Short mmCIF file of all heavy atoms in Angstrom, two decimals:
data_model
loop_
_atom_site.label_atom_id
_atom_site.label_comp_id
_atom_site.label_asym_id
_atom_site.label_seq_id
_atom_site.Cartn_x
_atom_site.Cartn_y
_atom_site.Cartn_z
N MET A 1 0.85 -1.20 0.00
CA MET A 1 0.00 0.00 0.00
C MET A 1 0.88 1.25 0.00
O MET A 1 1.77 1.37 0.81
CB MET A 1 -0.92 -0.02 1.21
CG MET A 1 -2.11 0.91 1.07
SD MET A 1 -3.30 0.64 2.42
CE MET A 1 -2.95 2.08 3.42
N ALA A 2 0.58 2.12 -0.90
CA ALA A 2 1.38 3.35 -0.99
C ALA A 2 1.07 4.28 0.18
O ALA A 2 -0.07 4.37 0.62
CB ALA A 2 1.09 4.06 -2.30
N LYS A 3 2.11 4.92 0.64
CA LYS A 3 1.93 5.87 1.74
C LYS A 3 1.37 7.17 1.21
O LYS A 3 1.71 7.61 0.11
CB LYS A 3 3.28 6.13 2.42
CG LYS A 3 3.57 5.13 3.51
CD LYS A 3 4.64 5.69 4.46
CE LYS A 3 4.69 4.91 5.74
NZ LYS A 3 5.65 5.47 6.69
N LYS A 4 0.53 7.76 2.02
CA LYS A 4 -0.07 9.02 1.62
C LYS A 4 0.96 10.14 1.62
O LYS A 4 1.83 10.19 2.49
CB LYS A 4 -1.21 9.37 2.59
CG LYS A 4 -2.06 10.51 2.09
CD LYS A 4 -3.44 10.47 2.72
CE LYS A 4 -4.21 11.74 2.41
NZ LYS A 4 -4.25 12.04 0.97
N ARG A 5 0.86 10.99 0.62
CA ARG A 5 1.77 12.12 0.51
C ARG A 5 0.98 13.42 0.61
O ARG A 5 -0.14 13.50 0.13
CB ARG A 5 2.51 12.09 -0.83
CG ARG A 5 3.40 10.90 -0.99
CD ARG A 5 4.80 11.26 -0.61
NE ARG A 5 5.59 10.07 -0.29
CZ ARG A 5 6.83 10.13 0.14
NH1 ARG A 5 7.42 11.29 0.30
NH2 ARG A 5 7.50 9.05 0.43
N TYR A 6 1.61 14.39 1.23
CA TYR A 6 0.95 15.69 1.39
C TYR A 6 1.77 16.76 0.68
O TYR A 6 2.99 16.79 0.81
CB TYR A 6 0.85 16.05 2.88
CG TYR A 6 -0.02 15.09 3.65
CD1 TYR A 6 0.52 13.95 4.23
CD2 TYR A 6 -1.38 15.32 3.77
CE1 TYR A 6 -0.28 13.06 4.93
CE2 TYR A 6 -2.19 14.44 4.46
CZ TYR A 6 -1.63 13.31 5.04
OH TYR A 6 -2.43 12.43 5.72
N THR A 7 1.09 17.62 -0.04
CA THR A 7 1.77 18.72 -0.71
C THR A 7 1.54 20.01 0.06
O THR A 7 0.40 20.38 0.33
CB THR A 7 1.24 18.89 -2.15
OG1 THR A 7 1.37 17.63 -2.82
CG2 THR A 7 2.03 19.93 -2.91
N VAL A 8 2.64 20.63 0.46
CA VAL A 8 2.58 21.89 1.20
C VAL A 8 2.99 23.00 0.25
O VAL A 8 4.12 23.03 -0.24
CB VAL A 8 3.53 21.88 2.42
CG1 VAL A 8 3.44 23.19 3.19
CG2 VAL A 8 3.20 20.71 3.34
N GLN A 9 2.07 23.91 -0.03
CA GLN A 9 2.37 25.01 -0.94
C GLN A 9 2.31 26.33 -0.21
O GLN A 9 1.33 26.66 0.45
CB GLN A 9 1.38 25.02 -2.10
CG GLN A 9 1.69 23.91 -3.10
CD GLN A 9 0.92 24.10 -4.38
OE1 GLN A 9 -0.30 24.03 -4.38
NE2 GLN A 9 1.62 24.32 -5.46
N THR A 10 3.41 27.07 -0.35
CA THR A 10 3.46 28.38 0.30
C THR A 10 3.93 29.41 -0.71
O THR A 10 4.62 29.08 -1.67
CB THR A 10 4.45 28.36 1.49
OG1 THR A 10 5.70 27.82 1.06
CG2 THR A 10 3.91 27.51 2.64
N ALA A 11 3.56 30.67 -0.47
CA ALA A 11 4.00 31.75 -1.34
C ALA A 11 4.49 32.90 -0.48
O ALA A 11 3.87 33.27 0.51
CB ALA A 11 2.85 32.21 -2.23
N CYS A 12 5.62 33.46 -0.86
CA CYS A 12 6.21 34.57 -0.11
C CYS A 12 5.42 35.84 -0.34
O CYS A 12 5.16 36.22 -1.48
CB CYS A 12 7.66 34.75 -0.56
SG CYS A 12 8.44 36.21 0.14
N PRO A 13 5.00 36.53 0.74
CA PRO A 13 4.23 37.77 0.57
C PRO A 13 5.10 38.92 0.05
O PRO A 13 4.59 39.91 -0.46
CB PRO A 13 3.71 38.06 1.99
CG PRO A 13 4.66 37.36 2.90
CD PRO A 13 5.20 36.19 2.16
N GLN A 14 6.40 38.79 0.21
CA GLN A 14 7.34 39.85 -0.18
C GLN A 14 7.64 39.83 -1.69
O GLN A 14 7.43 40.80 -2.38
CB GLN A 14 8.63 39.67 0.62
CG GLN A 14 9.63 40.80 0.48
CD GLN A 14 9.18 42.08 1.16
OE1 GLN A 14 8.37 42.05 2.08
NE2 GLN A 14 9.71 43.20 0.70
N CYS A 15 8.10 38.68 -2.18
CA CYS A 15 8.49 38.61 -3.59
C CYS A 15 7.56 37.73 -4.42
O CYS A 15 7.67 37.69 -5.64
CB CYS A 15 9.94 38.14 -3.72
SG CYS A 15 10.19 36.42 -3.24
N GLY A 16 6.67 37.02 -3.76
CA GLY A 16 5.66 36.23 -4.49
C GLY A 16 6.12 34.87 -4.98
O GLY A 16 5.34 34.16 -5.59
N CYS A 17 7.36 34.52 -4.71
CA CYS A 17 7.81 33.21 -5.20
C CYS A 17 7.15 32.11 -4.38
O CYS A 17 6.97 32.23 -3.17
CB CYS A 17 9.33 33.10 -5.14
SG CYS A 17 10.00 32.81 -3.52
N SER A 18 6.77 31.06 -5.05
CA SER A 18 6.08 29.99 -4.34
C SER A 18 6.97 28.78 -4.19
O SER A 18 7.92 28.57 -4.95
CB SER A 18 4.79 29.64 -5.06
OG SER A 18 5.07 29.21 -6.36
N ARG A 19 6.65 27.98 -3.20
CA ARG A 19 7.43 26.81 -2.91
C ARG A 19 6.47 25.67 -2.64
O ARG A 19 5.44 25.86 -2.01
CB ARG A 19 8.27 27.10 -1.66
CG ARG A 19 9.37 26.09 -1.44
CD ARG A 19 10.26 26.59 -0.34
NE ARG A 19 10.76 25.43 0.40
CZ ARG A 19 11.37 25.51 1.57
NH1 ARG A 19 11.54 26.68 2.14
NH2 ARG A 19 11.81 24.44 2.16
N SER A 20 6.83 24.52 -3.11
CA SER A 20 5.97 23.38 -2.90
C SER A 20 6.81 22.20 -2.44
O SER A 20 7.86 21.90 -2.98
CB SER A 20 5.23 23.13 -4.22
OG SER A 20 4.91 21.79 -4.36
N GLN A 21 6.36 21.55 -1.39
CA GLN A 21 7.07 20.41 -0.84
C GLN A 21 6.11 19.23 -0.77
O GLN A 21 4.97 19.40 -0.41
CB GLN A 21 7.54 20.69 0.58
CG GLN A 21 8.39 21.91 0.77
CD GLN A 21 8.59 22.18 2.25
OE1 GLN A 21 9.47 21.61 2.87
NE2 GLN A 21 7.76 23.03 2.82
N VAL A 22 6.61 18.07 -1.08
CA VAL A 22 5.80 16.87 -0.94
C VAL A 22 6.39 16.04 0.19
O VAL A 22 7.56 15.64 0.15
CB VAL A 22 5.77 16.05 -2.25
CG1 VAL A 22 4.92 14.80 -2.07
CG2 VAL A 22 5.20 16.90 -3.38
N LEU A 23 5.59 15.82 1.22
CA LEU A 23 6.07 15.13 2.41
C LEU A 23 5.16 13.97 2.79
O LEU A 23 3.97 13.99 2.53
CB LEU A 23 6.13 16.12 3.59
CG LEU A 23 7.02 17.35 3.43
CD1 LEU A 23 6.76 18.32 4.56
CD2 LEU A 23 8.49 16.98 3.40
N SER A 24 5.76 12.98 3.42
CA SER A 24 4.97 11.86 3.93
C SER A 24 4.33 12.28 5.26
O SER A 24 4.66 13.32 5.82
CB SER A 24 5.86 10.65 4.14
OG SER A 24 6.72 10.89 5.22
N GLU A 25 3.45 11.42 5.76
CA GLU A 25 2.79 11.73 7.02
C GLU A 25 3.80 11.90 8.16
O GLU A 25 3.70 12.81 8.96
CB GLU A 25 1.78 10.63 7.36
CG GLU A 25 0.92 10.98 8.55
CD GLU A 25 -0.06 9.86 8.92
OE1 GLU A 25 -0.26 8.96 8.10
OE2 GLU A 25 -0.60 9.92 10.04
N ASP A 26 4.79 10.99 8.21
CA ASP A 26 5.81 11.08 9.25
C ASP A 26 6.61 12.37 9.17
O ASP A 26 6.91 13.00 10.17
CB ASP A 26 6.78 9.88 9.16
CG ASP A 26 6.11 8.59 9.62
OD1 ASP A 26 5.06 8.67 10.27
OD2 ASP A 26 6.65 7.51 9.30
N GLU A 27 6.94 12.77 7.94
CA GLU A 27 7.69 14.01 7.75
C GLU A 27 6.86 15.22 8.15
O GLU A 27 7.38 16.19 8.72
CB GLU A 27 8.15 14.13 6.30
CG GLU A 27 9.29 13.17 5.97
CD GLU A 27 9.59 13.09 4.47
OE1 GLU A 27 8.65 13.16 3.65
OE2 GLU A 27 10.76 12.95 4.15
N MET A 28 5.58 15.17 7.85
CA MET A 28 4.69 16.26 8.23
C MET A 28 4.64 16.41 9.75
O MET A 28 4.72 17.51 10.28
CB MET A 28 3.26 16.01 7.71
CG MET A 28 3.08 16.21 6.22
SD MET A 28 3.44 17.86 5.63
CE MET A 28 2.09 18.81 6.33
N LYS A 29 4.52 15.27 10.44
CA LYS A 29 4.46 15.28 11.90
C LYS A 29 5.74 15.84 12.49
O LYS A 29 5.73 16.60 13.44
CB LYS A 29 4.26 13.86 12.42
CG LYS A 29 2.81 13.44 12.47
CD LYS A 29 2.70 12.05 13.08
CE LYS A 29 1.32 11.46 12.84
NZ LYS A 29 1.33 10.00 12.92
N GLU A 30 6.86 15.41 11.90
CA GLU A 30 8.16 15.81 12.41
C GLU A 30 8.42 17.29 12.13
O GLU A 30 8.92 18.02 12.99
CB GLU A 30 9.23 14.96 11.72
CG GLU A 30 10.56 14.96 12.45
CD GLU A 30 11.59 14.13 11.67
OE1 GLU A 30 11.37 12.92 11.54
OE2 GLU A 30 12.56 14.72 11.20
N ARG A 31 8.10 17.72 10.93
CA ARG A 31 8.43 19.08 10.54
C ARG A 31 7.44 20.13 11.03
O ARG A 31 7.82 21.20 11.46
CB ARG A 31 8.53 19.15 9.00
CG ARG A 31 9.31 20.36 8.54
CD ARG A 31 9.66 20.28 7.09
NE ARG A 31 10.49 19.13 6.77
CZ ARG A 31 11.09 18.95 5.59
NH1 ARG A 31 10.94 19.85 4.63
NH2 ARG A 31 11.81 17.90 5.35
N TYR A 32 6.16 19.82 10.96
CA TYR A 32 5.15 20.82 11.30
C TYR A 32 4.31 20.46 12.51
O TYR A 32 3.89 21.33 13.25
CB TYR A 32 4.24 21.09 10.10
CG TYR A 32 4.98 21.59 8.88
CD1 TYR A 32 5.09 20.82 7.75
CD2 TYR A 32 5.58 22.85 8.90
CE1 TYR A 32 5.78 21.28 6.63
CE2 TYR A 32 6.28 23.32 7.81
CZ TYR A 32 6.37 22.52 6.66
OH TYR A 32 7.06 22.98 5.58
N GLY A 33 4.02 19.17 12.67
CA GLY A 33 3.12 18.79 13.73
C GLY A 33 1.72 19.25 13.42
O GLY A 33 1.41 19.67 12.31
N HIS A 34 0.85 19.18 14.42
CA HIS A 34 -0.53 19.59 14.21
C HIS A 34 -0.72 21.04 14.62
O HIS A 34 -1.17 21.35 15.71
CB HIS A 34 -1.47 18.67 14.99
CG HIS A 34 -1.44 17.26 14.47
ND1 HIS A 34 -1.78 16.18 15.23
CD2 HIS A 34 -1.11 16.77 13.25
CE1 HIS A 34 -1.65 15.07 14.50
NE2 HIS A 34 -1.24 15.41 13.31
N VAL A 35 -0.32 21.92 13.74
CA VAL A 35 -0.40 23.34 14.05
C VAL A 35 -1.27 24.07 13.02
O VAL A 35 -1.30 23.68 11.86
CB VAL A 35 1.00 23.99 14.06
CG1 VAL A 35 1.82 23.49 15.23
CG2 VAL A 35 1.76 23.75 12.75
N PRO A 36 -1.98 25.12 13.46
CA PRO A 36 -2.79 25.89 12.51
C PRO A 36 -1.92 26.80 11.64
O PRO A 36 -2.26 27.07 10.48
CB PRO A 36 -3.73 26.70 13.40
CG PRO A 36 -3.06 26.76 14.74
CD PRO A 36 -2.19 25.55 14.86
N ASN A 37 -0.81 27.27 12.21
CA ASN A 37 0.09 28.16 11.47
C ASN A 37 1.53 27.68 11.63
O ASN A 37 1.88 27.11 12.65
CB ASN A 37 0.02 29.60 12.00
CG ASN A 37 -1.37 30.17 11.91
OD1 ASN A 37 -1.93 30.31 10.84
ND2 ASN A 37 -1.94 30.48 13.05
N PHE A 38 2.36 27.96 10.63
CA PHE A 38 3.77 27.60 10.74
C PHE A 38 4.63 28.67 10.08
O PHE A 38 4.17 29.42 9.24
CB PHE A 38 4.03 26.22 10.13
CG PHE A 38 3.68 26.12 8.67
CD1 PHE A 38 4.64 26.30 7.70
CD2 PHE A 38 2.37 25.85 8.28
CE1 PHE A 38 4.32 26.21 6.35
CE2 PHE A 38 2.04 25.75 6.93
CZ PHE A 38 3.02 25.94 5.97
N ASP A 39 5.89 28.72 10.51
CA ASP A 39 6.80 29.74 10.00
C ASP A 39 7.58 29.24 8.79
O ASP A 39 8.00 28.10 8.74
CB ASP A 39 7.79 30.16 11.09
CG ASP A 39 7.10 30.86 12.24
OD1 ASP A 39 6.14 31.61 11.96
OD2 ASP A 39 7.52 30.68 13.39
N MET A 40 7.76 30.10 7.83
CA MET A 40 8.51 29.79 6.63
C MET A 40 9.56 30.87 6.40
O MET A 40 9.39 32.00 6.83
CB MET A 40 7.58 29.78 5.40
CG MET A 40 6.67 28.58 5.30
SD MET A 40 7.55 27.05 4.97
CE MET A 40 8.32 27.42 3.39
N GLU A 41 10.63 30.48 5.71
CA GLU A 41 11.60 31.49 5.31
C GLU A 41 11.76 31.38 3.80
O GLU A 41 11.99 30.29 3.27
CB GLU A 41 12.94 31.26 6.01
CG GLU A 41 13.89 32.42 5.79
CD GLU A 41 15.22 32.25 6.54
OE1 GLU A 41 15.19 32.09 7.77
OE2 GLU A 41 16.26 32.26 5.86
N CYS A 42 11.62 32.51 3.12
CA CYS A 42 11.70 32.52 1.67
C CYS A 42 13.13 32.25 1.21
O CYS A 42 14.07 32.84 1.72
CB CYS A 42 11.22 33.87 1.14
SG CYS A 42 11.35 33.99 -0.64
N GLY A 43 13.28 31.34 0.25
CA GLY A 43 14.61 31.02 -0.27
C GLY A 43 15.15 32.09 -1.20
O GLY A 43 16.34 32.11 -1.49
N GLU A 44 14.29 32.98 -1.67
CA GLU A 44 14.71 34.02 -2.61
C GLU A 44 15.13 35.29 -1.91
O GLU A 44 16.22 35.79 -2.11
CB GLU A 44 13.56 34.33 -3.59
CG GLU A 44 13.21 33.20 -4.54
CD GLU A 44 14.33 32.90 -5.53
OE1 GLU A 44 14.96 33.85 -6.04
OE2 GLU A 44 14.57 31.71 -5.79
N CYS A 45 14.23 35.84 -1.09
CA CYS A 45 14.52 37.15 -0.47
C CYS A 45 14.74 37.04 1.04
O CYS A 45 14.95 38.05 1.70
CB CYS A 45 13.39 38.14 -0.77
SG CYS A 45 11.84 37.73 0.05
N MET A 46 14.71 35.80 1.58
CA MET A 46 14.96 35.53 3.00
C MET A 46 13.91 36.13 3.93
O MET A 46 14.12 36.20 5.14
CB MET A 46 16.37 36.01 3.43
CG MET A 46 17.50 35.44 2.59
SD MET A 46 17.30 33.69 2.25
CE MET A 46 18.51 33.01 3.34
N GLU A 47 12.79 36.55 3.38
CA GLU A 47 11.70 37.07 4.20
C GLU A 47 11.14 35.93 5.07
O GLU A 47 10.94 34.82 4.60
CB GLU A 47 10.60 37.61 3.26
CG GLU A 47 9.31 37.99 3.94
CD GLU A 47 9.32 39.39 4.51
OE1 GLU A 47 10.35 40.08 4.39
OE2 GLU A 47 8.28 39.80 5.07
N LYS A 48 10.91 36.24 6.34
CA LYS A 48 10.27 35.25 7.21
C LYS A 48 8.77 35.57 7.27
O LYS A 48 8.39 36.72 7.45
CB LYS A 48 10.87 35.32 8.61
CG LYS A 48 12.26 34.72 8.67
CD LYS A 48 12.66 34.46 10.12
CE LYS A 48 13.97 33.68 10.22
NZ LYS A 48 15.15 34.53 9.96
N TYR A 49 7.98 34.55 7.08
CA TYR A 49 6.54 34.78 7.09
C TYR A 49 5.82 33.58 7.69
O TYR A 49 6.39 32.51 7.85
CB TYR A 49 6.02 35.10 5.69
CG TYR A 49 6.27 34.02 4.65
CD1 TYR A 49 5.27 33.10 4.34
CD2 TYR A 49 7.48 33.95 3.98
CE1 TYR A 49 5.49 32.12 3.38
CE2 TYR A 49 7.71 32.97 3.02
CZ TYR A 49 6.72 32.06 2.73
OH TYR A 49 6.93 31.08 1.79
N THR A 50 4.57 33.81 8.01
CA THR A 50 3.75 32.76 8.61
C THR A 50 2.71 32.29 7.61
O THR A 50 2.07 33.09 6.95
CB THR A 50 3.07 33.29 9.88
OG1 THR A 50 4.07 33.78 10.76
CG2 THR A 50 2.29 32.20 10.59
N SER A 51 2.58 30.99 7.48
CA SER A 51 1.57 30.43 6.59
C SER A 51 0.52 29.70 7.41
O SER A 51 0.81 29.14 8.45
CB SER A 51 2.21 29.43 5.63
OG SER A 51 2.84 30.10 4.58
N GLU A 52 -0.69 29.70 6.89
CA GLU A 52 -1.76 28.95 7.54
C GLU A 52 -1.80 27.55 6.94
O GLU A 52 -1.78 27.39 5.72
CB GLU A 52 -3.11 29.63 7.27
CG GLU A 52 -3.35 30.85 8.10
CD GLU A 52 -4.78 31.33 7.92
OE1 GLU A 52 -5.22 31.45 6.76
OE2 GLU A 52 -5.45 31.57 8.94
N MET A 53 -1.87 26.56 7.81
CA MET A 53 -1.88 25.18 7.33
C MET A 53 -3.08 24.90 6.44
O MET A 53 -2.99 24.17 5.46
CB MET A 53 -1.85 24.21 8.53
CG MET A 53 -1.62 22.78 8.14
SD MET A 53 -0.11 22.51 7.16
CE MET A 53 1.13 22.36 8.47
N LYS A 54 -4.22 25.50 6.76
CA LYS A 54 -5.41 25.22 5.96
C LYS A 54 -5.28 25.73 4.53
O LYS A 54 -5.94 25.23 3.63
CB LYS A 54 -6.67 25.77 6.64
CG LYS A 54 -6.75 27.26 6.73
CD LYS A 54 -8.15 27.67 7.22
CE LYS A 54 -8.31 29.17 7.23
NZ LYS A 54 -8.74 29.68 8.53
N THR A 55 -4.42 26.73 4.31
CA THR A 55 -4.18 27.25 2.97
C THR A 55 -3.04 26.49 2.30
O THR A 55 -3.11 26.14 1.12
CB THR A 55 -3.80 28.75 3.02
OG1 THR A 55 -4.71 29.41 3.89
CG2 THR A 55 -3.85 29.39 1.66
N ALA A 56 -1.98 26.23 3.08
CA ALA A 56 -0.78 25.59 2.52
C ALA A 56 -1.02 24.12 2.20
O ALA A 56 -0.55 23.61 1.20
CB ALA A 56 0.38 25.74 3.50
N CYS A 57 -1.74 23.44 3.09
CA CYS A 57 -2.01 22.03 2.89
C CYS A 57 -3.34 21.63 3.52
O CYS A 57 -3.37 21.15 4.65
CB CYS A 57 -0.86 21.20 3.48
SG CYS A 57 -1.02 19.45 3.15
N PRO A 58 -4.44 21.88 2.80
CA PRO A 58 -5.77 21.59 3.34
C PRO A 58 -5.94 20.14 3.79
O PRO A 58 -6.63 19.87 4.77
CB PRO A 58 -6.71 21.91 2.18
CG PRO A 58 -5.93 22.77 1.25
CD PRO A 58 -4.49 22.40 1.44
N GLU A 59 -5.29 19.24 3.07
CA GLU A 59 -5.41 17.81 3.40
C GLU A 59 -4.85 17.50 4.78
O GLU A 59 -5.43 16.74 5.55
CB GLU A 59 -4.65 16.97 2.37
CG GLU A 59 -5.50 16.55 1.21
CD GLU A 59 -4.78 15.50 0.40
OE1 GLU A 59 -3.64 15.75 -0.04
OE2 GLU A 59 -5.34 14.43 0.22
N TRP A 60 -3.68 18.08 5.06
CA TRP A 60 -3.05 17.83 6.36
C TRP A 60 -3.85 18.50 7.46
O TRP A 60 -4.02 17.96 8.55
CB TRP A 60 -1.60 18.36 6.36
CG TRP A 60 -0.90 18.13 7.65
CD1 TRP A 60 -0.50 19.09 8.54
CD2 TRP A 60 -0.52 16.88 8.24
NE1 TRP A 60 0.10 18.51 9.62
CE2 TRP A 60 0.10 17.15 9.47
CE3 TRP A 60 -0.67 15.56 7.84
CZ2 TRP A 60 0.58 16.15 10.31
CZ3 TRP A 60 -0.20 14.55 8.67
CH2 TRP A 60 0.43 14.86 9.89
N ASP A 61 -4.36 19.69 7.18
CA ASP A 61 -5.18 20.41 8.15
C ASP A 61 -6.40 19.57 8.54
O ASP A 61 -6.78 19.50 9.70
CB ASP A 61 -5.63 21.75 7.53
CG ASP A 61 -6.30 22.64 8.56
OD1 ASP A 61 -5.63 22.96 9.57
OD2 ASP A 61 -7.46 23.01 8.36
N LYS A 62 -6.96 18.90 7.56
CA LYS A 62 -8.11 18.03 7.80
C LYS A 62 -7.72 16.85 8.68
O LYS A 62 -8.44 16.49 9.62
CB LYS A 62 -8.64 17.53 6.45
CG LYS A 62 -10.16 17.43 6.41
CD LYS A 62 -10.66 17.30 4.99
CE LYS A 62 -11.01 15.87 4.66
NZ LYS A 62 -11.38 15.69 3.25
N GLU A 63 -6.57 16.25 8.38
CA GLU A 63 -6.08 15.13 9.19
C GLU A 63 -5.91 15.55 10.65
O GLU A 63 -6.24 14.81 11.57
CB GLU A 63 -4.71 14.65 8.68
CG GLU A 63 -4.76 13.96 7.34
CD GLU A 63 -5.42 12.59 7.40
OE1 GLU A 63 -5.09 11.84 8.33
OE2 GLU A 63 -6.25 12.29 6.54
N CYS A 64 -5.39 16.76 10.85
CA CYS A 64 -5.17 17.27 12.20
C CYS A 64 -6.48 17.39 12.95
O CYS A 64 -6.56 17.07 14.13
CB CYS A 64 -4.50 18.65 12.14
SG CYS A 64 -2.87 18.59 11.42
N ARG A 65 -7.50 17.86 12.26
CA ARG A 65 -8.80 18.02 12.89
C ARG A 65 -9.41 16.68 13.28
O ARG A 65 -10.03 16.55 14.32
CB ARG A 65 -9.77 18.76 11.94
CG ARG A 65 -9.57 20.24 12.00
CD ARG A 65 -10.19 20.90 10.78
NE ARG A 65 -9.41 22.05 10.38
CZ ARG A 65 -9.62 23.27 10.86
NH1 ARG A 65 -10.56 23.48 11.73
NH2 ARG A 65 -8.88 24.28 10.47
N ILE A 66 -9.20 15.69 12.43
CA ILE A 66 -9.74 14.36 12.70
C ILE A 66 -9.09 13.78 13.97
O ILE A 66 -9.74 13.14 14.77
CB ILE A 66 -9.51 13.41 11.48
CG1 ILE A 66 -10.40 13.85 10.32
CG2 ILE A 66 -9.77 11.96 11.86
CD1 ILE A 66 -10.02 13.24 8.98
N GLN A 67 -7.80 14.05 14.13
CA GLN A 67 -7.07 13.48 15.25
C GLN A 67 -7.26 14.23 16.57
O GLN A 67 -6.82 13.79 17.59
CB GLN A 67 -5.56 13.42 14.92
CG GLN A 67 -5.29 12.30 13.93
CD GLN A 67 -3.83 12.24 13.52
OE1 GLN A 67 -2.96 12.57 14.30
NE2 GLN A 67 -3.58 11.81 12.30
N GLU A 68 -7.90 15.36 16.51
CA GLU A 68 -8.08 16.15 17.71
C GLU A 68 -9.07 15.52 18.68
O GLU A 68 -10.02 14.88 18.25
CB GLU A 68 -8.57 17.56 17.35
CG GLU A 68 -7.43 18.54 17.39
CD GLU A 68 -7.84 19.91 16.84
OE1 GLU A 68 -9.05 20.20 16.79
OE2 GLU A 68 -6.94 20.65 16.44
ZN1 LIG B 101 10.52 36.08 -1.05
#
C-alpha cells in the first residue's frame, strides 16, 4: 500500500515566489506537527513569514482536525 503524501504550498508575501514540498505523514508530523500556522523562510529574499496550514495544505489540516 502506498503511503499518503501531502503537498505543502506556500507563497512569499514579499516577492511572491512559491514553494511546494511533498512530504509523507511522518515528515509532516516531524516538521510541522498539528499546528494551525507555521513559519517559513523565503529562499529568494529571505523574508520570514507565517503560513496557515489550511491554505498551505488543506489535506493535512483536515487530518489534524480528525485526530483532535
Ligand atoms: Zn521572497
Side-chain angles (χ1 to χ4, degrees):
M1 199 171 104
K3 272 199 165 183
K4 191 157 170 52
R5 296 264 159 184
Y6 296 90
T7 305
V8 181
Q9 284 193 296
T10 51
C12 173
Q14 188 71 23
C15 68
C17 77
S18 60
R19 194 171 147 192
S20 152
Q21 305 171 84
V22 180
L23 301 170
S24 70
E25 188 182 345
D26 288 344
E27 287 170 324
M28 286 300 290
K29 274 184 193 157
E30 198 183 296
R31 199 168 299 191
Y32 300 112
H34 294 156
V35 292
N37 301 298
F38 60 95
D39 294 324
M40 286 292 299
E41 189 177 303
C42 178
E44 293 294 320
C45 69
M46 306 316 255
E47 171 85 359
K48 286 195 172 77
Y49 60 97
T50 304
S51 281
E52 283 188 311
M53 190 56 85
K54 67 171 184 234
T55 314
C57 185
E59 269 192 304
W60 180 247
D61 189 59
K62 217 165 101 185
E63 291 289 316
C64 296
R65 278 162 214 271
I66 290 165
Q67 286 178 32
E68 259 172 21

